[in-house]
Amino acid sequence: MGPRRPLLHRSAGFRRGLGLRALRLGVAVLAGLMMALTAGSGGSAGTGADGPLHPLVTGDQSRGWGAVGRLELGAGGFCTAALVAPDLVLTAAHCLFDGTTGGRLPLAGLEFRAGWRNGRAEAFRGIRRGAVHPGYAHGKAASVGRVRHDLALLQLDRAIRLPGLVPFGIASQPGQGDAVGVVSYARDRSDVASLQELCHVLAGIDGVVMLSCEVDFGASGAPVFRIEDGVPRILSVVSAKAEMGARKVALGTVIHDGLEVLRARLAADDPGGAMPRLGLGMVRSAGAKFLRP
């Protein structure tokens, strides 16, 4: 009897009253991920224990994480998104599509709420323009290719320039066993962001990473961080949650190359506009506060 196929669920674009379709990854995809998971480790991922989710309830707990926010999709739906420039937020591509019709959501109905916490935000911004990765095909069956390109970049109608909302820089390519963290909103914790300080990269294949991080509907587009030189940088965004037997995992899109593709698409839509340069050298000056159990 072969390995059990993981159930793949699109993890966000949560909408009240709208059932999300459960998808299955093909055998070849599972085999590739499992080979990556066990290669060079004697059948073990070699990672330590993961940490719990911490709700960022107070201003002190939220310090340094205000550039993560809720992306409102209208009709009660939301995703998670993060600032990567004063006027640019990064999220998952499937967040920009209607789960029923498959059509693109109107940008006029979207709103980024930076640092959303208990009914208040550090900043509210509308969306001026949006770019979806050219390789993303909404509505097709689940595949590594679909998750690999599940990335979107949105330009805000006004830049956010506040001392506590410093855009995140971009991390270098992830490696198996890397310790990472994730900040996200989700269905049963929609009013306050939660930080999982410690989870791990279990495997990677074709620009997709399998993560041990805890995610749920609403977490799509959530930034996955790695600490580099003491600074949290984004290496992936959450695309889906999956199950492999009894084990729950998350699938993320590696953003190292895709972000420049999206930036170029936004620039092409506005030839007269100057787009901020994104890259590995962007440094956060506001220290993110990590919690300890």
Side-chain angles (χ1 to χ4, degrees), residues 37-293:
L37 179 63
T38 58
S41 60
S44 171
T47 59
D50 293 338
L53 280 171
H54 294 281
L56 304 178
V57 177
T58 69
D60 186 57
Q61 291 169 337
S62 301
R63 187 172 299 121
W65 301 113
V68 180
R70 248 177 57 165
L71 179 64
E72 302 301 307
L73 307 176
F78 66 89
C79 279
T80 305
L83 281 172
V84 291
D87 67 339
L88 297 176
V89 294
L90 186 67
T91 191
H94 74 257
C95 295
L96 306 187
F97 291 82
D98 188 289
T100 302
T101 67
R104 283 282 294 266
L105 295 172
L107 294 181
L110 307 184
E111 183 179 60
F112 178 63
R113 299 179 177 180
W116 178 258
R117 190 172 82 249
N118 293 325
R120 297 185 177 183
E122 300 294 328
F124 294 85
R125 292 294 187 271
I127 306 301
R128 178 187 171 200
R129 290 184 296 145
V132 171
H133 195 288
Y136 179 73
H138 186 73
K140 288 194 173 182
S143 67
V144 165
R146 183 177 176 185
V147 174
R148 179 172 67 240
H149 300 308
D150 192 6
L151 202 63
L153 190 65
L154 302 175
Q155 186 173 27
L156 305 177
D157 58 2
R158 290 179 294 126
I160 297 177
R161 303 186 188 278
L162 297 172
L165 300 183
V166 181
F168 292 101
I170 306 306
S172 54
Q173 294 278 13
Q176 181 182 331
D178 281 356
V180 297
V182 62
V183 176
S184 65
Y185 296 85
R187 174 172 50 189
D188 295 324
R189 43 186 178 86
S190 59
D191 289 329
V192 175
S194 291
L195 165 68
Q196 186 175 15
E197 181 182 351
L198 182 63
C199 46
H200 295 87
V201 176
L202 299 176
I205 181 173
D206 293 338
V208 175
V209 285
M210 179 190 290
L211 306 162
S212 62
C213 309
E214 185 176 341
V215 300
D216 205 345
F217 296 105
S220 283
V224 180
F225 298 97
R226 181 173 57 201
I227 303 301
E228 296 183 350
D229 299 323
V231 176
R233 300 176 186 269
I234 305 175
L235 64 84
S236 173
V237 300
V238 173
S239 175
K241 66 175 184 175
E243 296 173 2
M244 290 200 311
R247 184 172 194 175
K248 294 182 179 180
V249 297
L251 299 181
T253 306
V254 177
I255 64 173
H256 187 267
D257 299 321
L259 194 53
E260 285 300 327
V261 173
L262 290 168
R263 176 182 172 275
R265 286 176 72 86
L266 278 181
D269 289 342
D270 187 12
M275 296 298 296
R277 188 178 184 278
L278 304 171
L280 300 178
M282 187 179 290
V283 177
R284 286 176 53 81
S285 59
K289 181 178 178 62
F290 279 84
L291 306 174
R292 297 294 175 188

